[in-house]
Amino acid sequence: MAVFADMSDANMAVGVTEVSKEIFDLHMLIFWVCVWIGVVVFGIMFWSLWKYRKSKGAIAADFDDNFWLEIGWTVAATLILVVIAIPSTTVMVKAYDDAEGEINIMVTGSQWKWHYKYLEDGISFYSNLSTPQEQINNKMPKGEFYLKEVDQPLVIPINKRIRFLITGNDVIHSWWVPDFAVKQDAIPGFINTAWTNVPTPGIYRGNCTELCGIKHAFMPVVVRAVEQEEYDAFVAERILLAENEKMLTSKDWTAEELFERGESFYQTNCVACHQVNGQGIPPVFPALEGSQIVLNDAPRQIEILMEGVQGAAMASYADYSEVDIAAVITYTRQAWTNGENGDGVIVTPQDIVAYKNKIEL
Amino acid sequence: MESKKTIRNLLGIVVGMFAFGWLLVPIYDVFCEITGLNGKVTGPSFLSESSKAMEQREVLIQFMTHNNESMPWTFESEEVQMRIMTGSQQEAIFVFKNTTDREMIGQVIPSVSPGRGAEFFHKTECFCFERQTLAAGERIELPVRFIVDPALPKEIGSLSLGYTLFDITDQFTKKDKIANL
Amino acid sequence: MSTVVETHDHGHHGPAKGLTRWLFTTNHKDIGTLYLWFSFLMLFIGGSMAMVIRAELFQPGLQIVQPEFFNQMTTNHGLIMVFGVIMPAFVGLANWMLPMQIGAPDMALPRLNNLSFWLLPMAFGILISTLFMPEGGPNFGWTFYAPLSTTYAPDTVNFFIFSVHIMGISSILGSINIITTIFNMRAPGMTLMKMPLFVWSWLITAYLLIAVMPVLAGVVTMMLMDINFGTSFFNAAGGGDPVLFQHVFWFFGHPEVYIMILPAFGIVSHIIETFSRKPIFGYSSMVYAMASIAVLSFVVWAHHMFTVGMPLAGELFFMYSTMLIAIPTGVKVFNWIATMFRGSITFETPMLFAIAFVALFTIGGFSGLMLAIVPADFQYHDTYFVVAHFHYVLVPGALFGIISGVYYWLPKWTGNMYDEILGKTHFWLTFFSVNLTFFPMHFVGLAGMPRRYPDYALQFADFNMLISVGAFIFGLTQLLFLFIVIKSIRGGKKARAEVWEGAENLGLEWTIDSPAPYHTFTVQPQVK
């Protein structure tokens, strides 16, 4: 069994949790049952094909049934299935455990990123693919974790029962971490639950496993399991970050600072559709370079970022910080040729706050 | 003639099929109520006598809110979770704010996890029962009032209530347009 | 009820002249030919899409197509192979062979037969034309789950729905024809339990089709309503449920996959019997097994949905019922082997494909059994392990069944033996490339590669390259098959009526001339 566990490029992950190991063992059990049945059945078949060749003088018998033989192999097949069904049921009941979680994390699948919200601690963030477009377009050599890396992984503590509450934001996605043997569909309007308890620190990589549109292959799942102290530090850091964001909102930003911050946000969140060069893929993804709204209509651009566009692929980004929204708007208004051709208006975080509170721009 | 009988029977079957299709709507409702399938909570808002007589225990109730797609309202629950006793009336407050400059209509769809806990979660009042219309900039607080049935199976230690807020403004503007034709 | 057949001198009534013969024919042989050529054409079209997919997946990174187009390729490859190749090919074989095998002059409803065929080029014309429309064709997988296929679909989805409706009507009308023919037009003396197994397989398949094609029509109409008429069948906002789509679709979808394999079971039984020179072992069990598989196929559908969040009791029920189907299927495999055992076996091309069917379909069955085990399925679902499974049962399964049937009956249709050496070459190249293509998919799926991915992480690269090479060889090899078929039509060693040694006692089709005359069994034979 062990040698098969090492064939990680050709066999299922053994994983790190009790459940994932039991599932691996169950998989290997069924596999070997099938192999042995195959050996016996194909053995008899190939032997018959060799031994009863007409070219070697075989004369056909004329029997065409055997009642007890048929009963025999039907009963044998049934018994084998019963034997397989028993451990399958046991592992299943264990995996479906509904008990309380020590940490509850709401996982939301969107086109095309994951969102994690820690219910107890109140922190939340998006998790986007961080592999550069240049690697995908073969302009740069591919990194080791090509298509399996994100900007902000989900961080969980080891040895705690983590309960995942999984939903979808638009279409059906599916959240899968092979090393935990957790896979549940993310369905809009419904909550699915899954749980895990990870004993070993490490980085565990998975994928979206339900066709969800063009970037289905580009929204991986990455989970970092860490010691309790590191987890506490992570939570504290994120709470601080959220508070800082609030403070940053009221700070006075220069155009250059906004541009720099906006560029980084754009690379992570906007290039998939609007492209690095701002040309988009019209008509589905409009060009931002040369766009009338981006050049001359800041209020409308804010409205689009905050509300999305009905009937189109552009989602609302109201969930992001005011700083990020203002920065990315300012970036698009200054980037490419827009800086020369536009009305020069930059948008500050206070403008976004004002929009939220309905004060005139 | 034999063929008349055949035609009559075949037509009868066709009519019967359509009737069955019509009836499926109420049958579906009744079926989901009885089984609590899909985490849809439609159980009676009262406890049965046998439930009232059962021992109460503590259960953890978690609330999650989620805006579907580009729904721009803010939608939060005041409490993320509460530990409550089964069999007693409880209340949770949710805050809605329409952050845009036009009137909008939202619909909240609930989902209970684990699904088989749904039939034990009795809601006496919920904003999810009806669609909510908010004027531009309007903010409102709405309650969910519920009782968790003491008959909730022991294996279920916590119930997670997920609320997804959908923007259904368009459906109604369309309907008005059609009504005005 | 028996039909009264007029005797007339069929020597003077050959086929009509000209192209309109093919438009207006009501002859089961002509219509069978139309279905078979149509499915052969679709095989190359759907196959080209597979070539595009495998070319993109040859290496990690996006080289040849963008994900938008890739998704259209995967979707249409699936739709075309399922609805445009496997199903019409089996219908074509049914049309050609069923009347001859039961000693009937034609199908019961010949004009309906013509309509059933001609609906298909219409349907596929509509479907394929969507690929050339501005928004592109369907891009949501051949299983078209909502809401990706409703709210988020391109406008061409409406053409897709229309096309599916037309295909469904074609299948339903064809099935009505088949059932009516089998029940009413068997030669005197041919009781149900004396019918050839291919006839049995189609009788059962036709019932399955009538039961589930309307369900497909229902789900696709609900989609139409949701997209265009503001209903909320699959939209949670209006009180609906995306998972409802999956339940209704798979209630159709699971019997559909048995529809795609049962006729192959029938064909393979005939071929193994013929080339083992021994009667098929356990005829009644074979019939009961096919019937059990058909009945059981209605209660396993949610094994395609183990990760949607069903309650435990539901998941366990579907696990057990799915495992149960292995029993009648296993019985059939044992019976085929028991037919070979102590036979007198020769290895002509049809037999080679039939033997490969038994072995490779069984491998597909093993991966199917593994998939049935719910907790393990959490790791297999939506990965290439599933892709490996269904390609094993459909390609070296259903498709090999079709190909072996074509080789077996070509001499009866054309009057010429096909070129045996070329046939064996086709077989060995196909056998080798099919395994090279689909076996590594098990590994890459277990290692974690999800399906419907145009690009993948680096650890999957080596196997993907092998798979793509295998796929290219497999695709090219089918051109050889085309060559063999055309060559056999144009000439070859003359085939006698019996064609295969000892076949005369195995079926009525071997008692008439090769090529079969345009009208056969205008006088009913007597069956002992």
Side-chain angles (χ1 to χ4, degrees), chain C residues 351-372:
Chain C
M351 183 58 163
L352 289 175
F353 275 102
I355 294 169
F357 172 95
V358 175
L360 300 179
F361 174 79
T362 303
I363 293 183
F366 286 144
S367 57
L369 179 62
M370 292 168 77
L371 287 162

Side-chain angles (χ1 to χ4, degrees), chain B residues 128-140:
Chain B
C128 54
F129 291 159
E130 302 152 349
R131 57 182 187 263
Q132 306 296 334
T133 308
L134 288 185
E138 187 183 343
R139 179 185 182 283
I140 189 173

Side-chain angles (χ1 to χ4, degrees), chain B residues 22 50 81-82 94 104-105 142-143 150 165-167 177 180:
Chain B
W22 271 105
S50 53
Q81 54 193 34
M82 43 174 67
F94 289 75
M104 286 178 69
I105 309 173
L142 293 171
L165 175 63
F166 290 86
D167 178 2
K177 283 191 194 135
N180 289 335

Side-chain angles (χ1 to χ4, degrees), chain A residues 27 52 54 58 60-61 64 70 73 81 89 96 136 138 146 170 176 178 183 185 192 207-210 214, chain C residues 62 67 71 152 277 282 285 307-308 310 320 323 335 342 344-345 374 378-382 453 455 458 501:
Chain A
H27 156 73
Y52 298 106
K54 178 170 184 233
D64 67 357
E70 295 206 64
W73 62 42
L81 289 180
T89 309
Y96 246 70
I136 298 175
N138 309 302
Y146 178 72
D170 33 46
W176 183 36
K183 180 186 287 163
D185 287 357
N192 275 338
N207 284 102
C208 174
T209 42
E210 188 58 60
I214 57 178
Chain C
L62 295 176
N71 287 347
Y152 295 84
R277 294 164 180 73
S285 317
T307 59
V308 299
M310 270 193 295
Y320 302 142
M323 290 170 77
N335 283 10
R342 292 186 59 197
S344 174
I345 305 171
V374 185
F378 287 156
Q379 301 281 57
Y380 307 137
H381 176 68
D382 242 288
Y453 266 35
D455 194 4
L458 299 180
E501 185 194 344

Side-chain angles (χ1 to χ4, degrees), chain C residues 322-396:
Chain C
T322 307
M323 290 170 77
L324 269 180
I325 289 207
I327 299 173
T329 316
V331 161
K332 294 187 77 70
V333 172
F334 300 149
N335 283 10
W336 286 318
I337 296 176
T339 308
M340 297 174 202
F341 181 78
R342 292 186 59 197
S344 174
I345 305 171
T346 51
F347 298 93
E348 287 85 336
T349 308
M351 183 58 163
L352 289 175
F353 275 102
I355 294 169
F357 172 95
V358 175
L360 300 179
F361 174 79
T362 303
I363 293 183
F366 286 144
S367 57
L369 179 62
M370 292 168 77
L371 287 162
I373 309 300
V374 185
D377 184 61
F378 287 156
Q379 301 281 57
Y380 307 137
H381 176 68
D382 242 288
T383 67
Y384 260 82
F385 191 79
V386 179
V387 179
H389 159 71
F390 66 71
H391 280 98
Y392 258 87
V393 291
L394 282 174
V395 184

Side-chain angles (χ1 to χ4, degrees), chain A residues 39-250:
Chain A
V39 164
V40 170
V41 169
F42 295 152
I44 297 177
M45 183 169 101
F46 289 122
W47 182 80
S48 302
L49 290 172
W50 175 81
K51 173 111 172 134
Y52 298 106
R53 290 168 290 166
K54 178 170 184 233
S55 58
K56 294 301 174 196
I59 311 273
D62 65 3
F63 64 86
D64 67 357
D65 64 18
N66 186 323
F67 180 74
W68 286 111
L69 183 60
E70 295 206 64
I71 297 285
W73 62 42
T74 309
V75 168
T78 314
L79 283 175
I80 294 177
L81 289 180
V82 168
V83 161
I84 296 176
I86 296 172
S88 306
T89 309
T90 331
V91 175
M92 185 59 182
V93 169
K94 186 161 179 181
Y96 246 70
D97 190 351
D98 272 328
E100 230 178 281
E102 294 172 82
I103 297 187
N104 293 281
I105 303 179
M106 189 167 171
V107 175
T108 306
S110 302
Q111 288 177 320
W112 290 279
K113 54 200 176 216
W114 294 99
H115 183 263
Y116 301 115
K117 183 168 171 185
Y118 294 67
L119 292 184
E120 286 84 8
D121 296 313
I123 57 176
S124 68
F125 49 85
Y126 283 98
S127 184
N128 297 281
L129 175 74
S130 61
T131 300
Q133 279 293 126
E134 290 84 357
Q135 286 186 21
I136 298 175
N137 294 328
N138 309 302
K139 302 232 174 1
M140 231 173 93
K142 296 173 171 55
E144 188 190 347
F145 297 111
Y146 178 72
L147 295 192
K148 290 256 198 188
E149 51 198 345
V150 295
D151 53 1
Q152 180 54 64
L154 179 68
V155 178
I156 57 172
I158 56 171
N159 295 321
K160 280 258 161 73
R161 189 189 160 89
I162 318 280
R163 192 149 162 268
F164 300 107
L165 299 145
I166 304 171
T167 189
N169 198 35
D170 33 46
V171 296
I172 302 181
H173 301 262
S174 189
W175 197 75
W176 183 36
V177 182
D179 286 311
F180 304 163
V182 166
K183 180 186 287 163
Q184 280 290 283
D185 287 357
I187 302 172
F190 293 85
I191 307 273
N192 275 338
T193 47
W195 70 274
T196 193
N197 190 328
V198 183
T200 319
I203 302 186
Y204 304 106
R205 303 174 193 269
N207 284 102
C208 174
T209 42
E210 188 58 60
L211 178 64
C212 54
I214 57 178
K215 305 281 172 185
H216 170 50
F218 302 99
M219 47 181 290
V221 174
V222 179
V223 183
R224 253 183 69 224
V226 299
E227 304 275 350
Q228 186 67 44
E229 304 82 48
E230 203 183 326
Y231 174 74
D232 293 333
F234 165 76
V235 172
E237 186 195 315
R238 291 237 45 124
I239 292 178
L240 207 60
L241 206 67
E243 282 167 11
N244 280 348
E245 284 293 307
K246 289 211 184 81
M247 288 201 307
L248 283 176
T249 305
S250 44

Side-chain angles (χ1 to χ4, degrees), chain A residues 98-101 104 106 108 117 119-120 163 165 167-170 188-193 303 306-310 312 314-316 318 355-358, chain B residues 38 40 60 62-70 72 76 80-81 83 97 99-102 109-111 113-114 116 155 157-158 160 162 164 166-167 170:
Chain A
D98 272 328
E100 230 178 281
N104 293 281
M106 189 167 171
T108 306
K117 183 168 171 185
L119 292 184
E120 286 84 8
R163 192 149 162 268
L165 299 145
T167 189
N169 198 35
D170 33 46
F190 293 85
I191 307 273
N192 275 338
T193 47
E303 193 178 43
M306 294 300 290
E307 300 188 27
V309 176
Q310 283 290 331
M314 177 67 183
S316 151
Y355 178 90
K356 284 184 174 174
N357 293 323
K358 317 314 312 162
Chain B
N38 264 348
K40 296 305 175 203
L60 176 70
Q62 292 176 314
F63 298 103
M64 288 160 295
T65 57
H66 173 59
N67 287 21
N68 192 57
E69 273 195 281
S70 322
E76 301 287 341
V80 168
Q81 54 193 34
R83 285 189 185 282
K97 179 162 180 206
T99 57
T100 69
D101 56 2
R102 57 200 163 92
I109 301 288
S111 178
S113 194
R116 62 202 172 100
E155 314 85 67
S158 65
S160 306
T164 308
F166 290 86
D167 178 2
D170 275 349

